Amino acid sequence: MPALSPTMTAGNIGTWQKKVGDTVAPGDVLVEIETDKAQMDFEFQEDGVLAKILKEAGEKDVAVGNPIAVMVEEGEDVSAFESFSLGDAGGEKQPPAQAPKEEASESSEPADTGSKTAPSTLAEGESTPEPEAQESESAGGRLQTSLEREPSASPLAKALALERGVPIKEVKGTGPNGRVTKQDIEKFKPSGGAASAAAGPAGLASFEDIPASSMRKTIANRLVQSMNQNPHYFVASTISVSKLLKLRQALNTSAAGKYKLSVNDFMIKACAVACRKIPAVNSSWREKDGQVMIRQHNTVDVSVAVGTPIGLMTPIVRGVEGLGLETISAQVKDLGKRARDGKLKPEEYQGGTFTISNMGMNAAVERFTAVINPPQAGILAVGTTKKVAIPVETEDGTSVEWDDQIVVTGSFDHKVVDGAVGGDWIREFKKVVENPLEMLL
């Protein structure tokens, strides 16, 4: 099992793209692997022949470094490995377990350290009470593995099942190795018996416990870490986008279908302009070898929040300060599509110096605040466009003009960015958005 990301300790086996006996060349996709961040293609980097698959499609929580297959050189006898087992390959180790946060206080400190939070020890002569034996409530059948309890399903199928309230464990998969597909969810029809069994006593609402994916666990851990370790503060501003919308319409009309710019493309470029003018925001907090430093980045690499069926991804548009709007638009479309398809490479979503999260496509979201993506020091949340009546004084009295406006909210890490600096960044962002021709300079 390869380590496809720095934080990956275990992975899930997806679909094998090669079968036993197939020749593999450098760059060929050998197998799909679900990491803690995405579902990725594992490209083999050597010539060889697949002699034995040790971990079948659907196997979960395979520790990094554990054998998953046997590769031999061309010309070797593949049949000699027909009975080759995982034990013959040296066995497997379990992925490192992380103790739940709630239990940390019971084991995080040794006894007798003088700390009030350390666990107490037994007095001399006291004995540890033996735990009482309890009968298992098992129904008598064999123990199920985690793979058997959680059916194999594509990320799109999981998202659709959650949206429609379909109990995915009751769906019979028609994909490779019984994998549940989107079509299986769409065709699923619950039986009367299953529906009545799902209902609770006295007509109470039923529920389904859905196991958290590796990616969902990673998202949860990082967001909790961000909120606990980064002192957030928020700066909001109402910005006129009337000129920007007119410029966008003019550029798209003249493009003759070559490109189609979105409002978000302009926002990404404006973030880069503001970060170049206020470089303190384009920085990150670093702790290494006991040293604490603030790293100020010379390029603006903007992470763009993208919703996918398996969670939020932030692919990166690098060097935005040197890119034109057409290039930014093309890269955002390409990265967004591959993020939703689970085809991003680690280097395409790891890093970044600033993040933008745009929910402007949802007309109900006027404004919101976003959580900083560590180790970055800032993230911009963009709401939807609203038409606002603006009173204008004329010779004939007061008239009303309609202005297109959005509300943006910057979240900043106070360890790195002081409040006044965050305000300066919002001011520069507002200036360039309200005068969008500056982006072309």
Side-chain angles (χ1 to χ4, degrees):
M1 173 63 73
L4 299 180
S5 76
T7 59
M8 177 179 172
T9 58
N12 303 334
I13 303 293
T15 304
W16 285 92
Q17 302 297 325
K18 299 288 185 179
K19 59 181 182 294
V20 173
D22 284 354
T23 300
V24 182
D28 284 355
V29 176
L30 183 63
V31 62
E32 294 177 359
I33 293 177
E34 182 185 349
T35 72
D36 57 343
K37 295 183 181 294
Q39 184 163 321
M40 303 172 60
D41 292 333
F42 173 43
E43 298 179 357
F44 204 65
Q45 300 303 318
E46 298 180 22
D47 290 305
V49 177
L50 181 58
K52 179 72 174 182
I53 294 175
L54 300 175
K55 290 289 185 180
E56 296 294 338
E59 291 275 3
K60 297 185 179 296
D61 295 327
V62 181
V64 168
N66 277 356
I68 61 173
V70 177
M71 300 292 298
V72 298
E73 295 182 357
E74 285 193 63
E76 289 195 30
D77 185 12
V78 172
S79 62
F81 293 88
E82 186 174 351
S83 58
F84 194 85
S85 67
L86 194 61
D88 297 326
E92 61 179 330
K93 63 179 181 179
Q94 293 299 317
Q98 295 182 349
K101 297 283 185 181
E102 294 79 8
E103 299 174 6
S105 60
E106 298 180 10
S107 56
S108 58
E109 297 184 63
D112 299 328
T113 59
S115 168
K116 295 180 180 180
T117 59
S120 59
T121 55
L122 294 172
E124 185 177 355
E126 292 184 10
S127 60
T128 304
E130 291 292 333
E132 295 183 6
Q134 297 181 352
E135 285 194 19
S136 169
E137 297 180 359
S138 169
R142 68 179 183 85
L143 291 175
Q144 289 183 308
T145 65
S146 61
L147 175 62
E148 292 170 321
R149 292 193 298 269
E150 181 182 346
S152 174
S154 68
L156 190 56
K158 291 180 180 179
L160 187 60
L162 181 61
E163 177 184 336
R164 298 190 176 185
V166 174
I168 202 166
K169 295 179 181 179
E170 298 178 13
V171 180
K172 183 177 181 181
T174 60
N177 298 294
R179 187 179 178 88
V180 177
T181 65
K182 173 187 174 184
Q183 290 74 21
D184 297 329
I185 301 296
E186 291 174 339
K187 296 176 182 178
F188 176 74
K189 295 181 179 179
S191 61
S196 60
L204 295 178
S206 61
F207 64 89
E208 179 185 3
D209 290 330
I210 301 174
S213 65
S214 299
M215 183 176 176
R216 176 52 56 188
K217 293 175 186 176
T218 300
I219 291 173
N221 290 335
R222 285 179 62 82
L223 292 182
V224 170
Q225 173 194 5
S226 179
M227 292 302 294
N228 287 342
Q229 299 182 6
N230 301 323
H232 287 55
Y233 72 91
F234 309 98
V235 182
S237 180
T238 300
I239 299 179
S240 171
V241 291
S242 295
K243 293 180 180 178
L244 186 148
L245 294 178
K246 290 177 181 178
L247 176 60
R248 170 178 174 257
Q249 182 180 16
L251 291 174
N252 284 341
T253 300
S254 64
K258 183 180 178 182
Y259 57 82
K260 186 177 181 181
L261 303 178
S262 68
V263 172
N264 202 42
D265 300 330
F266 287 86
M267 296 293 154
I268 293 170
K269 182 65 177 180
C271 285
V273 174
C275 283
R276 293 292 285 178
K277 291 185 176 181
I278 312 293
V281 173
N282 195 45
S283 304
S284 56
W285 181 269
R286 303 280 174 165
E287 297 182 14
K288 185 177 181 181
D289 299 330
Q291 300 294 317
V292 178
M293 67 194 79
I294 295 176
R295 178 175 297 172
Q296 193 169 107
H297 303 279
N298 296 324
T299 61
V300 185
D301 302 331
V302 180
S303 303
V304 183
V306 177
T308 75
I310 57 174
L312 188 70
M313 296 286 292
T314 52
I316 304 165
V317 182
R318 300 190 182 275
V320 177
E321 75 282 357
L323 301 180
L325 290 167
E326 180 182 353
T327 304
I328 293 172
S329 179
Q331 288 195 22
V332 169
K333 288 182 176 66
D334 173 61
L335 290 168
K337 181 180 184 303
R338 289 192 288 116
R340 286 184 283 272
D341 293 341
K343 301 298 183 183
L344 287 178
K345 298 176 182 178
E347 61 269 21
E348 292 177 318
Y349 57 80
Q350 292 173 2
T353 62
F354 188 85
T355 298
I356 182 170
S357 180
N358 191 338
M359 294 181 66
M361 69 293 298
N362 187 336
V365 180
E366 182 177 335
R367 69 180 73 195
F368 68 103
T369 56
V371 180
I372 294 171
N373 184 17
Q376 297 173 14
I379 182 172
L380 185 72
V382 182
T384 194
T385 304
K386 297 284 188 182
K387 284 193 174 295
V388 179
I390 304 295
V392 178
E393 295 294 336
T394 65
E395 295 179 356
D396 300 327
T398 303
S399 63
V400 173
E401 293 183 358
W402 292 95
D403 186 33
D404 291 295
Q405 297 182 356
I406 60 171
V407 177
V408 299
T409 306
S411 306
F412 301 100
D413 181 355
H414 221 314
K415 299 197 310 294
V416 181
V417 183
D418 289 333
V421 178
D424 290 342
W425 189 94
I426 288 290
R427 182 192 62 212
E428 293 297 333
F429 179 84
K430 177 182 176 75
K431 178 182 175 183
V432 72
V433 170
E434 293 187 338
N435 300 279
L437 288 176
E438 290 189 12
M439 299 183 200
L440 308 179
L441 298 178

